[in-house]
Amino acid sequence: MSSGKKNNQTIKILHADDEEAFRSQVSELLQIKGYAVDVAVDGVEAINALQHNGYDIVLLDINMPKVDGLEVLRFIKERYPVIEVIMLTGVGDVKVAVDCMIQGAYNYIVKPFMAEELLQVISRAVERHTLLFENSIMKSEINRLSRSSDLVGESESFKNMLSIAERVADAEASVLIQGQSGTGKELVANFIHKRSSRANRPMVAINCAAIPDTLLESELFGHEKGAFTDARAQKQGLIELANNGTLFLDEVGDISPIIQPKLLRFVQTGEFRRIGGTVSLHADVRIISATNKDLKSEVQENRFREDLLYRINVITLVIPPLKDRKTDIPLLVDNFMRRKFLHKTPKLLDPQALDILMEYEWPGNIRELENVLESAVILSRGEVIQPSDIMLPHSRFTKMKSAGEVPGFIGELLSLKDTERLHIQAIMKHAHGDKKVVAKILGISLKTLYTKIAQYQLS
């Protein structure tokens, strides 16, 4: 989500008050200022509206028939904690209004009030709502993805792909991004979102392959209290959090056939139901999907719905693998070094070390390149990364075998244990026996490393 204030046009306000003349005056004022406004005549109507629509701010009269403002406040704070509530009260209800603030209301205004007073309180409430909302959708992850400098490349294939992405960014059509693992599909999705008309609303991302089917449905659509054993409270799904913004479905090809019909219905109509719910909800969300699978083949194998593919695949972007854009490797290396040494002088790469990177086929793409550079930075002793600091599987084991240091290398018929032993041995050699460095490169704890050293009798 972008920093700073939202535009008024993106702010949706619910005003609940039983006085018709007062409702009309407030609604007209807010609409003139560009806010989208819904009204409710009592607490019951307010709760119904909250269950069917997404709001940023709620103006609540304290004294309303059927269900009063205090009960509606409790309902909101239990289910929609990021909504900011402003209580509207008469002079004699100020003590009650203060109690409401203790229970989570943002502020209160005593009737009658000046228009400017209301607008100022709403403006401050919007700022607070923005901060809370950013936290609820994992602001740190979104900020990581928002760095446009991470999309680096001057190769023709990469520039063509990025040019198409820029042209379709401001359209509302669904986009499917295809590419191998590690090519930066999520960065491209974020690039599109940041250049769309929804840029000041959230981009919510979910990796469909990383979450079990039983949890994925709850993550997407939310659930009602008591819907299943661990559902101790109502939960909003990511679709609701992404309302008026973008939903990024990473590895969409891994969505279970059981969930696909429910996702299709949402993509077609914008409507969905929480697990265990009976009320249809609505969200205005742009869908951007990504996959490393051939979804047409998945359709032929009856693993993916053809009608869902058509819905999410209005526009297709194909990210070229790193092996097809090797001229971008020096730029990617420079970009990584600058980010790695943000407040220091970046390390340089020996020309021969760069040659090694240029010759490698990079099956893991940019993600693998960054991992190799990360380990090279750790292993290098000086300010220049040497060829011996580059830890690539084939080149490393081939060099070691030619030197008579190990009995085999990748591609030979070795057991898994032998391969692990040789791998640890190679990294220990290049790390000059520094076990903390070795453990960090391997991604294991020191305790696990010592166990492996004892198991394989390494010194």
Side-chain angles (χ1 to χ4, degrees):
M1 192 172 187
S2 61
S3 60
K5 296 181 180 179
K6 304 177 185 177
N7 294 325
N8 285 359
Q9 288 82 355
T10 68
I11 300 300
K12 195 164 184 180
I13 297 176
L14 175 64
H15 177 205
D17 200 299
D18 60 335
E19 296 180 33
E20 183 178 356
F22 182 73
R23 280 200 317 272
S24 299
Q25 289 177 351
V26 171
S27 296
E28 184 178 354
L29 169 67
L30 297 179
Q31 287 168 353
I32 289 172
K33 292 300 181 180
Y35 293 108
V37 184
D38 288 344
V39 297
V41 301
D42 56 44
V44 172
E45 196 169 300
I47 288 173
N48 287 336
L50 286 159
Q51 290 178 318
H52 287 83
N53 302 287
Y55 295 99
D56 303 293
I57 307 294
V58 175
L59 304 179
L60 274 183
D61 185 25
I62 290 181
N63 293 314
M64 290 188 294
K66 298 182 180 178
V67 176
D68 65 21
L70 186 57
E71 286 299 315
V72 178
L73 172 65
R74 292 187 184 123
F75 175 85
I76 292 171
K77 288 304 164 183
E78 181 180 339
R79 292 165 176 80
Y80 313 106
V82 297
I83 293 178
E84 292 298 342
V85 180
I86 300 169
M87 308 303 295
L88 307 177
T89 175
V91 177
D93 296 321
V94 172
K95 184 179 183 302
V96 178
V98 173
D99 290 339
C100 289
M101 291 184 64
I102 293 172
Q103 296 192 42
Y106 172 71
N107 209 335
Y108 70 91
I109 302 178
V110 179
K111 300 178 184 178
F113 48 77
M114 301 294 290
E116 190 59 35
E117 180 185 2
L118 175 64
L119 293 174
Q120 286 179 359
V121 173
I122 289 176
S123 178
R124 292 195 298 268
V126 167
E127 291 180 358
R128 177 175 166 81
H129 167 79
T130 301
L131 292 174
L132 291 175
F133 201 80
E134 286 179 340
N135 289 336
S136 71
I137 57 174
M138 300 166 289
K139 182 183 176 184
S140 60
E141 176 68 5
I142 292 173
N143 285 343
R144 182 184 69 81
L145 293 170
S146 67
R147 295 191 299 266
S148 59
S149 60
D150 284 347
L151 280 174
V152 174
E154 291 294 331
S155 61
E156 202 62 33
S157 59
F158 183 76
K159 287 197 297 184
N160 287 340
M161 181 277 301
L162 213 56
S163 174
I164 296 172
E166 192 156 21
R167 292 204 300 272
V168 305
D170 213 25
E172 287 296 302
S174 298
V175 178
L176 177 65
I177 304 171
Q178 294 181 315
Q180 298 176 3
S181 294
T183 50
K185 296 186 289 293
E186 192 165 357
L187 290 174
V188 174
N190 195 66
F191 176 89
I192 294 171
H193 172 71
K194 291 297 181 184
R195 284 156 182 78
S196 74
S197 58
R198 299 170 180 261
N200 63 339
R201 298 295 287 182
M203 186 186 94
V204 179
I206 182 171
N207 187 324
C208 302
I211 302 175
D213 294 342
T214 52
L215 294 180
L216 180 59
E217 184 177 358
S218 174
E219 286 295 311
L220 283 173
F221 303 108
H223 61 251
E224 298 291 348
K225 182 178 180 180
F228 46 85
T229 304
D230 293 327
R232 297 183 178 88
Q234 184 193 68
K235 175 186 174 182
Q236 287 180 284
L238 296 181
I239 285 174
E240 287 181 78
L241 292 176
N243 190 33
N244 295 320
T246 302
L247 179 66
F248 176 59
L249 301 173
D250 197 9
E251 305 303 346
V252 69
D254 289 282
I255 291 182
S256 163
I258 298 172
I259 301 176
Q260 287 178 29
K262 298 177 182 180
L263 179 60
L264 174 64
R265 179 174 181 270
F266 170 69
V267 175
Q268 288 176 325
T269 66
E271 294 184 349
F272 65 98
R273 290 182 182 178
R274 300 192 190 105
I275 298 176
T278 57
V279 177
S280 290
L281 306 174
H282 185 273
D284 174 17
V285 173
R286 185 187 189 180
I287 302 289
I288 300 180
S289 308
T291 183
N292 58 11
K293 293 184 175 182
D294 182 348
L295 292 188
K296 291 183 179 178
S297 297
E298 294 293 300
V299 168
Q300 292 173 356
E301 296 294 329
N302 294 319
R303 289 192 290 263
F304 201 85
R305 292 181 63 112
E306 187 173 22
D307 45 5
L308 178 57
L309 175 58
Y310 290 146
R311 288 288 181 176
I312 66 173
N313 192 27
V314 177
I315 297 166
T316 304
L317 292 174
V318 180
I319 304 179
L322 186 55
K323 67 182 179 65
D324 292 341
R325 45 180 291 220
K326 286 190 175 181
T327 54
D328 290 336
I329 288 177
L331 297 174
L332 291 165
V333 170
D334 181 67
N335 176 261
F336 172 82
M337 291 300 177
R338 291 181 186 280
R339 286 190 287 114
K340 180 68 180 174
F341 297 94
L342 195 59
H343 303 294
K344 302 178 184 177
T345 303
K347 288 195 175 186
L348 302 176
L349 211 64
D350 183 273
Q352 288 186 328
L354 180 59
D355 288 343
I356 294 173
L357 299 182
M358 296 292 287
E359 291 170 5
Y360 187 60
E361 288 302 299
W362 298 109
N365 293 291
I366 297 172
R367 184 182 298 128
E368 183 183 11
L369 173 63
E370 290 195 344
N371 288 342
V372 169
L373 291 172
E374 178 81 27
S375 66
V377 167
I378 296 171
L379 291 171
S380 59
R381 295 296 185 180
E383 296 305 312
V384 179
I385 295 174
Q386 301 296 331
S388 59
D389 300 321
I390 303 296
M391 305 292 285
L392 291 174
H394 298 286
S395 61
R396 178 176 69 244
F397 282 90
T398 301
K399 288 177 182 177
M400 292 182 68
K401 188 188 178 189
S402 65
E405 296 175 13
V406 296
F409 61 100
I410 288 178
E412 291 193 357
L413 299 178
L414 295 173
S415 69
L416 186 60
K417 287 186 176 181
D418 283 340
T419 302
E420 183 178 57
R421 176 174 57 81
L422 294 174
H423 185 61
I424 295 173
Q425 182 179 339
I427 292 179
M428 286 181 64
K429 174 180 173 59
H430 282 269
H432 305 286
D434 189 329
K435 294 180 179 60
K436 287 185 179 179
V437 172
V438 174
K440 184 172 182 179
I441 293 173
L442 292 173
I444 60 177
S445 66
L446 268 174
K447 181 180 179 182
T448 301
L449 177 61
Y450 279 112
T451 301
K452 296 290 184 183
I453 290 173
Q455 178 185 351
Y456 296 131
Q457 298 181 342
L458 302 173
S459 60

